[in-house]
Amino acid sequence: MSLQKFVPTPKFEEYKERFKDFYKLERREDGVILVQAHTNGGPIQLSVENHRSLGQLLKTIGANPENELMILTGSGDAFMMDSDPEGFVLEQESLEHWAYEYAYKDGRINVSSLINDLEIPTIGALNGPGFHTEICLMCDISICSEDSVIFDLHYDIGSVPGDGIHSCFQELLGVKRAAYALLTGEAIDAKKALEWGMINEVVPRDQLIARAYRIADHIMSQPRITRRLTTQIVRRPWRQRITNDLDGGFGIQMFGHLAKKAAMHGRAHIASTVDYVRKGRKNNFD
Amino acid sequence: MSLQKFVPTPKFEEYKERFKDFYKLERREDGVILVQAHTNGGPIQLSVENHRSLGQLLKTIGANPENELMILTGSGDAFMMDSDPEGFVLEQESLEHWAYEYAYKDGRINVSSLINDLEIPTIGALNGPGFHTEICLMCDISICSEDSVIFDLHYDIGSVPGDGIHSCFQELLGVKRAAYALLTGEAIDAKKALEWGMINEVVPRDQLIARAYRIADHIMSQPRITRRLTTQIVRRPWRQRITNDLDGGFGIQMFGHLAKKAAMHGRAHIASTVDYVRKGRKNNFD
Amino acid sequence: MSLQKFVPTPKFEEYKERFKDFYKLERREDGVILVQAHTNGGPIQLSVENHRSLGQLLKTIGANPENELMILTGSGDAFMMDSDPEGFVLEQESLEHWAYEYAYKDGRINVSSLINDLEIPTIGALNGPGFHTEICLMCDISICSEDSVIFDLHYDIGSVPGDGIHSCFQELLGVKRAAYALLTGEAIDAKKALEWGMINEVVPRDQLIARAYRIADHIMSQPRITRRLTTQIVRRPWRQRITNDLDGGFGIQMFGHLAKKAAMHGRAHIASTVDYVRKGRKNNFD
Amino acid sequence: MSLQKFVPTPKFEEYKERFKDFYKLERREDGVILVQAHTNGGPIQLSVENHRSLGQLLKTIGANPENELMILTGSGDAFMMDSDPEGFVLEQESLEHWAYEYAYKDGRINVSSLINDLEIPTIGALNGPGFHTEICLMCDISICSEDSVIFDLHYDIGSVPGDGIHSCFQELLGVKRAAYALLTGEAIDAKKALEWGMINEVVPRDQLIARAYRIADHIMSQPRITRRLTTQIVRRPWRQRITNDLDGGFGIQMFGHLAKKAAMHGRAHIASTVDYVRKGRKNNFD
Amino acid sequence: MSLQKFVPTPKFEEYKERFKDFYKLERREDGVILVQAHTNGGPIQLSVENHRSLGQLLKTIGANPENELMILTGSGDAFMMDSDPEGFVLEQESLEHWAYEYAYKDGRINVSSLINDLEIPTIGALNGPGFHTEICLMCDISICSEDSVIFDLHYDIGSVPGDGIHSCFQELLGVKRAAYALLTGEAIDAKKALEWGMINEVVPRDQLIARAYRIADHIMSQPRITRRLTTQIVRRPWRQRITNDLDGGFGIQMFGHLAKKAAMHGRAHIASTVDYVRKGRKNNFD
Amino acid sequence: MSLQKFVPTPKFEEYKERFKDFYKLERREDGVILVQAHTNGGPIQLSVENHRSLGQLLKTIGANPENELMILTGSGDAFMMDSDPEGFVLEQESLEHWAYEYAYKDGRINVSSLINDLEIPTIGALNGPGFHTEICLMCDISICSEDSVIFDLHYDIGSVPGDGIHSCFQELLGVKRAAYALLTGEAIDAKKALEWGMINEVVPRDQLIARAYRIADHIMSQPRITRRLTTQIVRRPWRQRITNDLDGGFGIQMFGHLAKKAAMHGRAHIASTVDYVRKGRKNNFD
């Protein structure tokens, strides 16, 4: 017997409870864990709190060796189309404090957690229109509902898109389409996303989770080591991408944000900015 | 007051005049500058002189902080389908001298200027068929007229495609399509260019500039710092690409050119080589 | 006269004979060499012997300066859909010995030979469905027959896809589509391969070689140095890709293989795994 | 008030207790945390348990925003010169299971945690001779005691050095000295380590912690954001290095380990292998 | 004759006059240009004006094909140990405006100009102690006077070292020594700089320019094309380095600066911070 | 039994004979092969013939799985200080033909062979002063005799150093020292080479081979797979380096060579250029 005993790893029942206000967690016998992000049971309304919770959750899931495959999705008929009405009071109170503690630090941890802290395959299941869809798009496999719309709101709310959405779009779309999408707020519907290789499959919304499980079942058909090593192979380009341009890009975004001396995440500001997506328009100027 | 006074930056009225034989320059109040390259008012006819002028112009525009966004286009019904009848006398007179002074040096400066010397967003507006379209394609956003055709003539005139067109095609098309396009002279029409992600939008020729302004208007809706920092984010892959392979690729091209001991840019040689594009054919062998 | 005499380079007639059981070799006067891989005259049936032969052949062709362009294809109505009935006895006898000597060593040499040992342009002509199609897809230009199907069997036979197929798919498909194809065994037909940029042209099977020659004729229209230098330009992304991730990826695959303690290349195992391709299905689970 | 409440972050008193059998933790008012790794209060004796604990600890420290700077050191008169007598029973019981669960998975997490999970500056204080010194050497600043000796034992115990020690040596020593050190087990004493730039300062052992605190005091003289952003700047080369070559290198190591079909971490085997270091010799063959 | 005439390039006599308040310029018949930066004839006192002038000068020198080799040095007994008493009024007036217009924009242009805009060999001749010595250290060849001291003041004035000094130190010192130098303000004297490979030669101050000319004479012994092409070869690592980490690093620095909401470049603040260098101490805490 | 039989691999006795005019080959029972390059039994006198022979030999050694470790050295009291009196007649007869066929093609193959075609550890044993020492320096481990002098002659003979010597010097010396060594022809003696990390050990000339065998003995103490996988780990930085900058750098060198329109490898020209090394001077101008 070794001189020291293993430090315990997290237990599902414990963190299922701990994160319940942010994520509905379910785990099958075989270790397939379904993560449904929500705000009050519906679509995510972005706040500093749920922003931070993502990295916390992903690191916890990653630390539990009983998890074998993660399906990550949102809730209701949109992925994320609003901010929490009071979700950015901290940004308004102190832009500088918020910028490092809640934006730069937590934001980089979120992306890094998804890429670096999970040994297991991930399936992103985008359940509707939204911003910050990189959370689903940077999973190993990505599927979406037919009514999903992918777009970036940063530039249109007056911010510089450097928090990981740029890494995501440049990796998936290439430099040309990414520049256009980031500068114009282009609304990319499910069909276009499939055609452009951002998404692997498009399915009706009510079949989204079932389809994710079906793919998961196939992946689970191979043994643990095969699954997990294959994951390192297919995820490598993401590792390289975020190492290359996340820290610096995010720094540039924060620089721009502070130079503007204005909070940008107020609910009304975001709602009015992304209204064109709800209306089925391509951007704010056509 | 500082001990030293700022060295003045270039003034628009001065360089508008200085470059008028090469570029028609217009600038709006808000700093949006329209650059229309031309030869005698029509499509560009390539020469050592206008080749060199590009870097000179771009560096001048970049040095003037009053410029806020650049639209770059050609003139008339083609972008560049001919060389100037006397435009490469210097190549004929001394292949070696030309190779360094006008090809390698100026050519690398041209590409570097577009990528490294402009803090501002750029919109390339390809106005018709042409070679050396990398000038428009390596802008941040690229649109083209419906009758545009993108192709590379290097291999077919007996030259090695290493002067930046390879960087452009490999970045936008990937290794497989780029190899084919570079080796076969493939004529890529506007529709295909859009499908393949080389171009963001295709519009009728007479709406090309208007559309570029429309996109510019949207980009201009955000403040100067946001615009300019976002530019650094979206342009980064181009910086990496040309740092990786421009100096060496261009060296390989020049090596091949000198080994061939023949001028290749004569008007007749180019005209006959690219004739298949005018005829609507895909390449010189089908 | 130098103090030392050139060491002779390989002669076509000699190695045509030496490799005849593996490859039917033909060479035109102009140096265009056609390589038709076969097993008993028909589609390749994978074995440790023909696996090793590939690098041996490619190095030999590369060492002969009389070769000017290589067309690489298979034989019969499939590229590679089976393993040799006795082709992996060595794997069964000693997994560890096989893993280094025949899998890791020979496999890396195969890929490296194709990319690093040929100065000349290469055209891959995929002649039907198969695995290990990276041999054709990592040629400079790739064409395929209408009935070709590209897929990877590694994951489904219980292996980690790290032997170069991952490099090939990630380079041609991007991270998202590559992950899906590698994890699900997705059968990509010729039409889809063309749309996704894995393949440059699709032609009827009986015109495959003729078309390859036609493209070769065009490439041969330029002089030797132009051809060969252009090759270095268009092939550079492959060099970078395999340097980045082949040695390590293959190591991960072998690690997974040994951890599984089971031979995986038996004919019956492979045949049953890839049966869905023969049946025109997309994968093993839909 | 936001709709959701922050998920709590770890508390020092709790994890100080949780990890006490592995690490003696002390934290000053200003957030400077001292981590003294130990086995039974003395030098670390490597085991699967303490190997795993490192990543667990580093992730916990990283998740607590009250930590501001980490000093990482060992205990007693050596850093790590032995394995726990029973520390690798799991390796003996099942080489394959151990290889993934305890070596590859935990080992990569350890290195990744040090580089990716800490926003704060780190000072490694190597307290004597040892292997696996990369834990101290990959901190931002590294100091050591005068009697420290840095060496790698992998090759001499029959293993492939790919678990991060190669990343560490190649980054600090360059390719030439790293190859020699890894292949010959070269014992690099403190003076040489300083001369070669592996270490920033050498101090008497009894002043090691005091000196680390002195440097920490200076770093703490700047505000939190300055400190933490500077950390991202100085740590970037490590991020790039491990992204480039850790996953693959470690895979190659495990492949070699399984191919050898033998446990290598037994206490006697390690003790006899590293005996030359205790005797002040440079390697096992001179 | 071509249809268009060359746009003129800058003339030495003109820009010698234009920049005289910032740089004393001398050019030999053979094109060797000596640039002596000064403030009122003595050591540089940093200001927004002379900060901007550097890129303006380097681009002008680069645009004049009559320049063949540049020697870059300072004036008097120090390189740069002070800021201009009124040199950062603009920073005090508007931190945000200064941050982009004068720091981020001009600062990146400065570094880029040195690396990207000069086809010719460069010799940096550091004439005494100073900060922002990267201007001399990032020349192709670097020599210094015996009393030179290299150090970075950013961290000690409360700023994040991301404006190019990090690129310079990491390239020349490696990750470990660079982190220490950047975090502790380490004063590196000429002897140490030579030992560590930051500097190629150390000479008495009064022989500095003569020695630079001697090296220049040797370089000038080869023809123009050889010189200039060799320059591209030896400078490539700098191109790669700044492309990798300048834009982002500088963004992080500015983020930190704005988050601190304080001007940091006041003369008294800088003078007191760097006083340890004048006193021959290694840093501010020993 | 497989359907196809292995194609035979090269046999030592055969290629020992084939290469005997270029290399004296000896192989121990355990597979350690000693390669002594020579011209007429003495120091190498560079010619197009022995230049080409290097890649041919290395590929042959690499193709024979019975070789286990290679020691590579020269003969007599110098490594390479002269060219063969008639060794570059081909360069004089046709600069262009020579440039591709014998310089660019063979030269890149030489470097690539050393790095890409040998699975086995390599020890370079530099036996005296010479140019093209990259052949020994790019081995995994490098030792040299006390009277060895490392220098590059390219710039001084009027050539651009881009054929691999730049890769070698930049990897081992860093950008600053490499630029100086390449531009000034700096003669680096054994003591300095050891201090700078270009060489692992310096020994008296008459003990050089014995010492190489001693190191080889240690490396051979581990099993075949361990040795060979470790080789891939320690050699990786060389793979990355030459992939990054060899093809392009060499192209730039050839461009410069052809632009100069002069053969540069005549015996008298080389002898007079490198005479300073024989005289114990540092370069041609001090």
Side-chain angles (χ1 to χ4, degrees), chain B residues 154-162 166 170 174-180 182-185 195-196 241 244-245 248-250 252-253 255-257 259-260 264 282-286, chain C residues 121 136-143 171-172 193-201 211 214-215 218-223 225-227 229-238 240:
Chain B
H154 283 93
Y155 193 77
D156 279 10
I157 64 168
S159 182
V160 175
H166 68 305
Q170 289 179 337
V175 63
K176 179 63 59 190
R177 283 175 175 158
Y180 183 88
L182 294 172
L183 281 165
T184 70
E195 181 191 330
W196 284 358
R241 174 69 62 171
N244 178 28
D245 63 16
F250 219 138
I252 293 172
Q253 175 175 330
F255 167 29
H257 206 123
K260 218 179 164 208
M264 301 184 206
K282 187 184 172 191
N283 55 45
N284 262 320
F285 60 99
D286 279 324
Chain C
C136 290
L137 297 176
M138 294 173 83
C139 288
D140 300 322
I141 285 179
S142 301
I143 64 176
E171 185 73 27
L172 295 180
L194 184 69
E195 180 192 329
W196 283 359
M198 305 178 89
I199 282 285
N200 294 120
E201 295 185 9
R211 182 60 188 170
R214 182 71 170 263
I215 296 171
H218 178 71
I219 294 175
M220 291 302 293
S221 68
Q222 295 300 332
I225 299 185
T226 306
R227 279 194 314 264
L229 295 184
T230 298
T231 299
Q232 309 319 314
I233 297 288
V234 302
R235 196 175 290 163
R236 179 169 173 78
W238 287 117
Q240 296 177 304

Side-chain angles (χ1 to χ4, degrees), chain E residues 137 139-140 142 171-172 194-195 197 200-201 211 214 218-219 222-223 226-227 229-230 233-234 236-238 240, chain F residues 155-156 158-161 166 170 175-177 179-180 182-184 244-245 249 252 255-256 259-260 285-286:
Chain E
L137 298 176
C139 287
D140 300 321
S142 300
E171 184 73 24
L172 296 179
L194 184 68
E195 181 191 329
N200 295 119
E201 295 185 10
R211 182 59 188 170
R214 183 70 170 262
H218 177 72
I219 296 174
Q222 294 301 333
T226 306
R227 281 196 312 266
L229 294 185
T230 298
I233 297 287
V234 302
R236 179 168 173 79
W238 287 117
Q240 296 176 304
Chain F
Y155 194 76
D156 280 10
S159 181
V160 175
H166 68 305
Q170 290 179 337
V175 64
K176 179 64 60 191
R177 284 176 174 156
Y180 183 87
L182 294 173
L183 281 165
T184 71
N244 178 28
D245 63 16
I252 293 172
F255 167 28
K260 219 179 163 208
F285 60 98
D286 279 322

Side-chain angles (χ1 to χ4, degrees), chain F residues 168-219:
Chain F
C168 178
F169 277 19
Q170 290 179 337
E171 184 74 25
L172 295 179
L173 295 178
V175 64
K176 179 64 60 191
R177 284 176 174 156
Y180 183 87
L182 294 173
L183 281 165
T184 71
E186 182 182 20
I188 302 169
D189 63 23
K191 183 167 167 296
K192 182 65 76 181
L194 184 68
E195 182 192 329
W196 284 358
M198 305 178 89
I199 282 284
N200 295 119
E201 296 185 9
V202 177
V203 293
R205 172 128 46 93
D206 59 5
Q207 299 169 26
L208 188 68
I209 302 306
R211 182 59 188 169
Y213 274 124
R214 183 70 170 263
I215 297 170
D217 289 341
H218 177 71
I219 295 174

Side-chain angles (χ1 to χ4, degrees), chain A residues 150-153 155 161 164-186 188 196 198 241 245, chain B residues 139-142 171-172 196-200 219 230-231 233-238:
Chain A
I150 297 166
F151 66 98
D152 182 49
L153 84 176
Y155 193 76
I165 191 68
H166 67 305
S167 308
C168 178
F169 278 19
Q170 290 179 337
E171 185 73 25
L172 295 180
L173 295 178
V175 64
K176 179 62 61 190
R177 284 176 174 157
Y180 183 88
L182 294 173
L183 281 164
T184 71
E186 182 182 20
I188 302 168
W196 284 358
M198 305 178 90
R241 174 69 62 171
D245 64 15
Chain B
C139 288
D140 300 321
I141 284 179
S142 300
E171 185 73 26
L172 295 179
W196 284 358
M198 307 178 89
I199 283 284
N200 295 120
I219 295 174
T230 299
T231 300
I233 297 288
V234 302
R235 196 175 290 161
R236 179 169 174 77
W238 288 117

Side-chain angles (χ1 to χ4, degrees), chain D residues 155-156 158-161 166 170 175-177 179-180 182-184 244-245 249 252 255-256 259-260 285-286, chain F residues 137 139-140 142 171-172 194-195 197 200-201 211 214 218-219 222-223 226-227 229-230 233-234 236-238 240:
Chain D
Y155 193 76
D156 279 11
S159 181
V160 175
H166 68 303
Q170 290 179 336
V175 64
K176 179 63 61 191
R177 283 175 175 157
Y180 184 88
L182 294 173
L183 281 165
T184 71
N244 178 28
D245 62 17
I252 293 172
F255 167 27
K260 218 177 164 209
F285 60 98
D286 279 324
Chain F
L137 297 176
C139 288
D140 299 322
S142 300
E171 184 74 25
L172 295 179
L194 184 68
E195 182 192 329
N200 295 119
E201 296 185 9
R211 182 59 188 169
R214 183 70 170 263
H218 177 71
I219 295 174
Q222 295 301 332
T226 306
R227 283 194 312 264
L229 294 185
T230 298
I233 297 288
V234 303
R236 179 168 172 80
W238 287 117
Q240 296 177 303

Side-chain angles (χ1 to χ4, degrees), chain B residues 111-130:
Chain B
V111 175
S112 176
S113 297
L114 183 60
I115 302 301
N116 290 319
D117 286 319
L118 296 165
E119 291 283 302
I120 58 176
T122 53
I123 300 174
L126 187 63
N127 63 305

Side-chain angles (χ1 to χ4, degrees), chain C residues 55-223:
Chain C
Q56 292 175 307
L57 175 76
L58 294 174
K59 284 180 182 292
T60 303
I61 290 175
N64 182 352
E66 294 164 281
N67 295 316
E68 294 292 2
L69 185 151
M70 180 182 75
I71 300 170
L72 180 59
T73 188
S75 300
D77 61 0
F79 180 71
M80 188 193 299
M81 288 293 286
D82 281 299
S83 61
D84 179 322
E86 306 286 318
F88 286 86
V89 168
L90 287 168
E91 182 194 20
Q92 289 154 357
E93 290 177 352
S94 169
L95 204 55
E96 291 75 20
H97 183 71
W98 168 83
Y100 173 71
E101 301 296 337
Y102 303 104
Y104 190 72
K105 176 168 70 64
D106 291 349
R108 287 163 43 253
I109 289 172
N110 285 348
V111 176
S112 176
S113 297
L114 184 60
I115 302 302
N116 290 319
D117 285 319
L118 295 165
E119 292 283 302
I120 58 175
T122 53
I123 300 175
L126 187 63
N127 63 304
F131 49 90
H132 274 316
T133 54
E134 68 268 23
I135 297 310
C136 290
L137 297 176
M138 294 173 83
C139 288
D140 300 322
I141 285 179
S142 301
I143 64 176
C144 75
S145 66
E146 292 169 337
D147 60 350
S148 289
V149 183
I150 297 166
F151 66 99
D152 182 50
L153 84 177
H154 283 94
Y155 193 76
D156 279 11
I157 64 168
S159 181
V160 175
D163 63 357
I165 190 69
H166 68 305
S167 309
C168 178
F169 277 19
Q170 290 179 337
E171 185 73 27
L172 295 180
L173 294 178
V175 64
K176 179 62 61 190
R177 283 175 174 157
Y180 183 88
L182 294 173
L183 281 165
T184 70
E186 183 182 20
I188 303 168
D189 62 25
K191 182 166 168 294
K192 182 65 76 179
L194 184 69
E195 180 192 329
W196 283 359
M198 305 178 89
I199 282 285
N200 294 120
E201 295 185 9
V202 177
V203 292
R205 173 128 45 92
D206 59 5
Q207 299 170 26
L208 188 68
I209 303 305
R211 182 60 188 170
Y213 274 124
R214 182 71 170 263
I215 296 171
D217 288 342
H218 178 71
I219 294 175
M220 291 302 293
S221 68
Q222 295 300 332

